[in-house]
Each structure stands twice: as C-alpha cells, then as structure tokens.
Amino acid sequence: MARRTFDRMTMKPELAALISSALEQLVLQGTLADMPDAPLQIDHPKDPAHGDLSCNVAMVIAKRAGLSPRDLAQQVIAALPSNNLVARSDIAGPGFINFFINSERHTEVISTILSALSTFGHVDIGQGRKVQVEFVSANPTGPLHVGHGRGAAIGDSLGRLLEATGWAVQREFYYNDAGQQIQNLALSVQARAMGKCPEDADWPDDGYQGSYIEDVAKAFTSQETVQAADREITASGDITDLNAIKDFAVACLRREQDQDLRAFAVSFDEYFLESSLYDSGAVDETVSKLVQSGHTFEEENALWLRTSSFGDDKDRVMRKSEGGYTYFVPDVAYHLNKWQRGFKRVINEQGADHHSTITRVRAGLQGLDAGIPEGWPEYVLHQMVTVMRDGAEVKLSKRAGSYVTLKDLIDWVGCDATRYFLVARSPTSQLTFDIDLALARSNENPVYYIQYAHARAASIRRKASAALGDDAETAGLDHLKCLIEPEALTLAITLGRFPEVVATAAERLEPHDVANYLRQAASDFHTFYNAHHILEAQPAVMKARLALVAASQQVIANGLNLLGVSAPESM
RNA sequence: GCGGAAUUAGCUCAGCUGGAUAGAGCGUCGGUCUACGAAACCGAAGGUCGCAGGUUCGACUCCUGCAUUCCGCGCCA
C-alpha cells in the first residue's frame, strides 16, 4: 500500500508491468515455456543513446527459450501492450531492450514535486516501525574528535534518511561513564588541581594530558556550576574528594560535547548512561542470566563467556579476577535493554576500530537466549579520518593535545562544509579531510557548488515573482510540454530519480549516495541554466521553465536537508 | 600470525549489489559574461579497475590465492 507512493514516482515498475504482460503473452503463444523466475531487472543506461530505461530480460532467458537474445527481444517488443509510457524501443548490443520514454512523462514529475514540496522523496518503506540509531557515543573524557564528527555526520544523516523512508527513528547517545577511563579522568583533573604537569614523575599513568583538563581543574577549584544535559553540578572545590571531581569533570565534558554537537546541528532523543545499568542492577542480572544459560565458565579466578561458540576466535573474560566486569558486559546489558525497549531494529554507527566488539556483543546477546535474532543489532562502521592542510597532515589540537577536534574543523571551515565532507564518502573508505578544499569558495568545492545551484534558483524565482506575481510557476504546470530541450529533460529526469536515490541510500545505509546525487542534480541545473534563458522566453515557455526551476530548488533543498547541510536562498 | 576494511585517471573519490565504449570533481590545456548570480558553462587530453587464476551470454563488481596500506586482536574502554 505505502509502497505505491514510491511506485508512482518512478517509471520502472510501470515498465516492468508492461514487459511482464508481454512475456505472459509470449507464454500464451508458446514462444516461452514459462515466466522467468527472477524479478525483471531494469536500469538507467549511462549512455543517453541507449534510451531512458533498459531491460536485460532477453539475454537472461534466451538460452532456456532456445532463441537468440536479439530475436527474443524483438518478440518482447512486439508483444508490448499499448501504453503512453514508451515512445520507442530499440534492441542493442548483445540483446538489451532500450526504451525511450515519452517526454511528457519526464516532465510530469515537476507537478508532483511542487505539490509534495518538502516531502518529495519521502517513501514509506518503514511504515512507522521503530528503529534506533545509536551514534557518536563518545566517552566523556575529552572533546569530540574528527572521528566522532564523521560518526555524527553519518549517524544523523542515517536518521534523516530513515525518517524520510517512513521509520520512527530514535537517536541515542551512550555514555561510558562508569569505567576505568573515567577514573583516569578524575585522577588527571585532580593532578592538575594539585598543580602537577604531565611531565612530572608522579603524573598518573594513562592520565589525560590535553589543556582541557587544566580548564576543568580550574573550574572545579573555583567552585563553578555546570549544566549538562540532565543535571546541574556545583563543584565542591575539595581536591581530595575524587568522586566529586569525577562527577564534576564528567558534567563539564558532557556539556562541552553537547555544545559541539549543537554547533554541528546534531541532536539526540536519549542520552543513555552506562552507570544506570549498574545502578538498576541490569549488569548483574545479565551476568546471572548468562551463567544460568550455561555459556560461561570459571578459570583462573575469572568468569568467562564462551563467545567462541558464537563465532568469536577465543573466549572472553566477563568478570576479572579482581572482581570488576570487563567493558563488554555492560554493553550486552545495554543492548538487552534496547531489545526490551521494543527496538526490533537497531543500527549502531561506530568507528571501525571497535569492530571486534560486534562479535562479542552479539555473542552475549545470543547467550541470553532472549529470542534476539543473530544479526541484531546492525552496524555501520566508518574508517579513520585524517586531516590535511597545506599538503601536510594536521595531528594536534591546541585544546585536546593529541588529536584534531570536531570543533577545530567547524571553526576552520564551518558546519556545512564539515558535515558535507564527512558524509560524502563511503563509510568504508578512509577519509582525507582537505581543509583547503573545504574552505574554497569556488567550483573546487562541492558544497558551494550545490548550494550555489540552490541560491541561483532562489534568485531567479525572486526576480520572477517581483515581475510576474506568485502564480507564474503554478501556471507553468499547464505548459510542461513546452519543456522540450535536452537540458530541460535531462534535469527533469534527474529530479524524478530523487525518491529512488533516497530509498536506495536508506536501504543500503549509505548517505553518501545522496551527496553524489546532489552534485549531479546541481550540475544538471547549472547546465540547463546556462543553456536557456528563463525570464526572457515566450510566456508559456517561461512559466514552464520557472516551474522546473522551482522543482529543482525544492529537490536540492530536500537532499541537502538529508545531509544536515543548509540550503541558502542567497550566498 | 588471526580478523576486518581498502587498492579505479597526476590528486580526491563514485560506480546504482553481474550489464553495453569504466564515470565525476580538482589539477592541466583551450574556449564562453552589453541578457535571469561567471561561486557558473562548453570542449580536449588523461585508465592493464593492485597481480594471477576461476565462475558465465557478460566481471571494477562474485569465488580462490598473492601483494601492499590502514584498523583491531588486554582480566583497557
């Protein structure tokens, strides 16, 4: 039912139906023994000479039919029912059937866009089902770095894509606020508060060295008050009270991370604290369930989980000989909690350096015998980011010391460019972030290239509306058959592909598809703009072109929105 | 050593889950503003898709080896 919104917006299913009935016809005639079992494959050819859509069915079934692909293709074409979609069809190459679509069918999408507006591209695949996207999930032990930025850009964009495809999305940030690293944080702040430096002999092992630790220490000793997402803490100033330092430091860094994320236009529905799993007893409960299920054993004073019976290469310690749990135990408890909250679908976006945790967490969940499917949860892993400037790698940040922060990037190149660059490449590729390119205000820079297309469209429409009033675009919908130039038709075809791009990007969990599409859409728009004057054409043509411009602006805005990048009216 | 990811034009990267002559952008070279925004457009040059086999009508895509790079491999998180 909901699928039909999608179907109406693309011509593929319509063409598939025509070909299917042609094949049925051939079966009735006895030319074919039966219908092909695989679904028909219909593609957009790269070469315009190969038509608008093409189908390979003749090559696929030729052998079984005992005919040459080209002969079979000829028969398929002859058996095609009459319709208003296909203007012409050809046989090409080894047996492709190429279809040329009636140009009115290409431009009718303009009406669809101008009535759907910001919902054009939405496709109801999820049908309101719940999905959780967990991303960023940085430890509150320091500022967010560029890797977190990549996770934030990808995760948030995934959320937007899933929303656009009909899912009820919940965005969650998991705070590891209970482990050894938090202890190190508190010790580092304490050391700073006592006037020590990382160079000193008695500086804590594995202490954090960035200058932000000094800031936290100063704030603590001067008894400042910090407002983090869900709590307010005033520092006692007592530098012997390690727990007080810990709570205060965590609050400080959470606040800083929250501010960075806000500057990055990323927000969350839920901040889930690891410590709450200890407080509620969920961790102990998880452990005893695993023990009951018989998937654990004791050895050398420690409790182990047989992760190797769930695909891990060796078994893993759950409870250390000194009594504490290893980090993946609360992770399992956390994911059980997600399952119990009713998320039949969960997507975790993380850095690829955490790859090894996947097997462990899934193994723990299987060991619970809680009816959780084997491949749950899903993971999207992104590879490392390196930052280049003036041809050299940038490694240090003033504030964090050892890594470039997300805030550094936003300060250098702005939120839009940062988000675009971090989301525009496949998560599986290592990413080189070129500061000089991101700063360029020219066609070197894809962000500005796309935004410029949007601003240009807005500018023409402002001029048109001042000269002609606001209804010229609507009137243009009655004259769409005036759009006959190849540049106009190419643009309209590209605009019409948008819902398919959104659906595919959401299904494959690959937001960079949208970035690539936008570059194509912007390019087609610029080409059309340069080839044909809009405001000086004959009235009917002018109005039709204005409608096309309005539709282009809308689609580019919708696409940029999926990436969390702004769509400026002027630049 | 084991596991994961990557390898495509000088550079940065796509390649729609197996389709036609492998594509963009940048860079290089050459054109286009007395008209709606030149932050743009048009054209040219540029390739052994890391290497070797295999699967089939058809392979950058799938399978098996090999090479190189990155990331993991703790009773750290």
Side-chain angles (χ1 to χ4, degrees):
Chain A
M1 194 67 58
R3 194 79 192 177
R4 293 185 55 186
T5 319
F6 182 32
D7 290 356
R8 226 180 298 123
M9 290 175 178
T10 166
M11 295 156 193
K12 278 188 187 178
E14 190 176 341
L15 181 61
L18 293 172
I19 297 171
S20 278
S21 64
L23 293 173
E24 279 163 20
Q25 186 63 34
L26 294 181
V27 172
L28 286 178
Q29 291 171 7
T31 312
L32 290 177
D34 48 19
M35 293 290 285
D37 39 14
L40 289 169
Q41 189 183 335
I42 295 171
D43 291 312
H44 301 279
K46 295 168 200 159
D47 185 344
H50 294 144
D52 300 301
L53 292 170
S54 74
C55 185
N56 64 353
V57 66
M59 289 182 291
V60 175
I61 62 176
K63 199 178 236 180
R64 263 186 19 208
L67 286 168
S68 83
R70 293 187 64 105
D71 287 345
L72 188 52
Q74 185 54 59
Q75 302 220 33
V76 172
I77 290 173
L80 229 45
S82 72
N83 64 83
N84 73 345
L85 180 71
V86 178
R88 182 162 66 84
S89 39
D90 280 351
I91 301 166
F96 287 102
I97 309 174
N98 294 331
F99 298 94
F100 294 80
I101 303 301
N102 273 318
S103 57
E104 301 96 78
R105 296 299 306 272
H106 282 137
T107 52
E108 68 189 14
V109 72
I110 295 168
S111 301
T112 310
I113 295 167
L114 295 185
S115 70
L117 298 176
S118 65
T119 64
F120 180 72
H122 288 202
V123 182
D124 192 7
I125 297 169
Q127 306 185 325
R129 282 172 292 172
K130 280 168 62 164
V131 60
Q132 181 191 73
V133 183
E134 183 207 325
F135 60 112
V136 185
S137 295
N139 291 341
T141 54
L144 299 174
H145 55 66
V146 287
H148 295 130
R150 191 174 191 186
I154 293 172
D156 185 59
S157 201
L158 282 175
R160 291 167 190 249
L161 276 167
L162 290 165
E163 277 161 356
T165 50
W167 292 85
V169 177
Q170 192 246 20
R171 292 168 165 80
E172 186 151 308
F173 187 129
Y174 179 61
Y175 267 104
N176 290 107
D177 64 340
Q180 184 59 39
Q181 301 193 26
I182 298 298
Q183 192 68 16
N184 290 343
L185 171 71
L187 288 168
S188 308
V189 172
Q190 186 181 46
R192 276 290 186 189
M194 298 190 306
K196 294 177 193 166
C197 299
E199 296 75 31
D200 295 345
D202 56 349
W203 182 258
D205 296 338
D206 304 320
Y208 294 95
Q209 305 189 0
S211 69
Y212 65 93
I213 294 292
E214 240 180 310
D215 299 339
V216 174
K218 267 182 209 148
F220 183 79
T221 49
S222 51
Q223 303 183 14
E224 282 180 23
T225 298
V226 181
Q227 191 106 39
D230 61 351
R231 61 176 80 171
E232 184 180 283
I233 292 189
T234 301
S236 68
D238 175 3
I239 62 171
T240 64
D241 186 346
L242 202 56
N243 276 328
I245 294 176
K246 186 194 294 181
D247 290 345
F248 182 77
V250 167
C252 279
L253 291 165
R254 283 190 60 183
R255 180 185 57 175
E256 180 167 346
Q257 293 184 353
D258 290 348
Q259 285 168 347
D260 291 351
L261 288 168
R262 205 168 305 130
F264 205 41
V266 170
S267 62
F268 291 86
D269 303 300
E270 177 80 24
Y271 293 87
F272 196 100
L273 269 57
E274 182 189 6
S275 55
S276 74
L277 294 164
Y278 286 98
D279 296 345
S280 69
V283 173
D284 289 332
E285 236 169 86
T286 299
V287 171
S288 49
K289 271 186 203 154
L290 285 171
V291 171
Q292 279 165 30
S293 69
H295 295 293
T296 63
F297 63 95
E298 296 216 27
E299 194 177 291
E300 294 173 30
N301 238 353
L303 181 68
W304 298 67
L305 181 68
R306 281 187 215 283
T307 52
S308 61
S309 42
F310 301 101
D312 206 349
D313 52 354
K314 53 185 172 188
D315 297 326
R316 306 287 170 176
V317 169
M318 293 172 61
R319 192 176 56 229
K320 301 178 265 186
S321 50
E322 44 89 347
Y325 294 120
T326 55
Y327 74 93
F328 89 93
V329 175
D331 254 17
V332 173
Y334 173 44
H335 281 86
L336 176 62
N337 176 285
K338 293 185 182 189
W339 179 259
Q340 288 166 338
R341 275 187 277 160
F343 291 110
K344 295 277 183 287
R345 187 171 190 210
V346 166
I347 298 160
N348 292 336
E349 204 290 344
Q350 309 178 339
D353 52 339
H354 289 87
H355 181 263
S356 58
T357 67
I358 297 176
T359 328
R360 249 166 270 184
V361 168
R362 283 183 179 159
L365 292 169
Q366 290 307 301
L368 288 170
D369 297 327
I372 297 173
E374 272 183 45
W376 189 97
E378 297 166 58
Y379 284 85
V380 173
L381 301 179
H382 63 261
Q383 296 288 327
M384 303 291 100
V385 183
T386 52
V387 180
M388 300 287 286
R389 183 175 220 169
D390 299 328
E393 184 176 350
V394 187
K395 280 189 167 159
L396 301 184
S397 126
K398 210 175 163 191
R399 183 156 170 72
S402 52
Y403 54 83
V404 178
T405 65
L406 174 59
K407 186 167 192 307
D408 289 335
L409 275 191
I410 298 173
D411 288 348
W412 289 335
V413 307
C415 175
D416 282 344
T418 305
R419 284 198 67 141
Y420 182 90
F421 277 76
L422 289 177
V423 84
R425 305 234 158 100
S426 165
T428 54
S429 323
Q430 292 173 46
L431 172 65
T432 304
F433 194 112
D434 185 337
I435 298 290
D436 306 302
L437 181 60
L439 277 174
R441 302 192 152 245
S442 70
N443 56 3
E444 290 170 53
N445 188 333
V447 192
Y448 287 100
Y449 182 80
I450 296 163
Q451 288 183 324
Y452 180 54
H454 183 272
R456 226 180 191 186
S459 168
I460 298 168
R461 294 176 65 199
R462 278 193 299 272
K463 279 215 160 63
S465 134
L468 310 159
D470 289 330
D471 49 2
E473 287 164 5
T474 313
L477 298 179
D478 296 330
H479 303 291
L480 293 180
K481 63 176 75 67
C482 297
L483 298 174
I484 51 169
E485 305 82 5
E487 294 85 357
L489 292 174
T490 300
L491 176 56
I493 291 167
T494 297
L495 298 180
R497 270 178 45 220
F498 183 61
E500 197 180 328
V501 170
V502 173
T504 305
E507 277 166 357
R508 306 195 323 166
L509 303 177
E510 293 188 343
H512 70 278
D513 287 352
V514 176
N516 289 333
Y517 168 81
L518 281 172
R519 231 164 16 99
Q520 185 62 54
S523 168
D524 289 346
F525 176 76
H526 287 309
T527 296
F528 166 70
Y529 174 93
N530 275 282
H532 305 291
H533 289 285
I534 292 146
L535 299 179
E536 268 136 69
Q538 294 305 307
V541 177
M542 175 188 67
K543 288 173 186 167
R545 287 179 181 172
L546 269 174
L548 177 58
V549 170
S552 304
Q553 185 189 347
Q554 186 69 55
V555 170
I556 291 172
N558 293 0
L560 285 171
N561 182 52
L562 289 172
L563 302 181
V565 176
S566 71
E569 298 278 318
S570 64
M571 295 170 69

